[in-house]
Amino acid sequence: MFIATLIVSIFLAVALTFSAVGKLTKNPAVIPIMEAVGVPADKIPVLAYLEIAGAIGLLVGLFWWPIGVAAAIGVILYFVGAVIAHVRVKDIKGTGPAAFLTLVAVAALVLRLNTI
């Protein structure tokens, strides 16, 4: 079961890192989406740092489970917020990736809790 936890946690940490890099480098594919859902430009780096914190927490949590659980819960809340932001502006196309990563974060939490 720990191997599944390892794979899901690393996958999610990599996805969070790529997402954060896109926000911090002001990738032209990312910024218009953030603006479309109503994220103020000065808050985009904050979201990126939250993603980086989540990625680090997931990786540290592989060695100390309470951090992994806290990070997974934080990532779930982050992506539930993203889903809500997309649904609020009727951006159904953008809801999919956020919903998928929410489910991956839930899987990371469940797996982490099952390997204590």
Side-chain angles (χ1 to χ4, degrees):
M1 185 72 77
F2 185 74
I3 292 173
T5 305
L6 183 72
I7 291 168
V8 170
S9 295
I10 290 173
F11 170 79
L12 187 55
V14 169
L16 288 166
T17 302
F18 276 110
S19 179
V21 168
K23 289 174 179 68
L24 291 174
T25 60
K26 298 181 180 166
N27 185 316
V30 174
I31 300 304
I33 296 168
M34 301 299 292
E35 291 171 347
V37 297
V39 178
D42 64 326
K43 300 297 183 228
I44 293 173
V46 174
L47 295 176
Y49 298 136
L50 289 172
E51 289 176 323
I52 292 168
I56 292 169
L58 287 167
L59 297 177
V60 171
L62 293 170
F63 302 99
W64 192 36
W65 72 265
I67 296 294
V69 169
I73 291 170
V75 173
I76 291 167
L77 294 174
Y78 178 93
F79 282 112
V80 165
V83 168
I84 291 169
H86 285 282
V87 169
R88 185 179 49 108
V89 297
K90 297 176 178 65
D91 177 23
I92 302 305
K93 182 179 172 184
T95 304
F100 171 72
L101 289 172
T102 302
L103 295 175
V104 174
V106 168
L109 175 62
V110 170
L111 288 166
R112 188 64 240 168
L113 288 172
N114 282 326
T115 57
I116 295 174

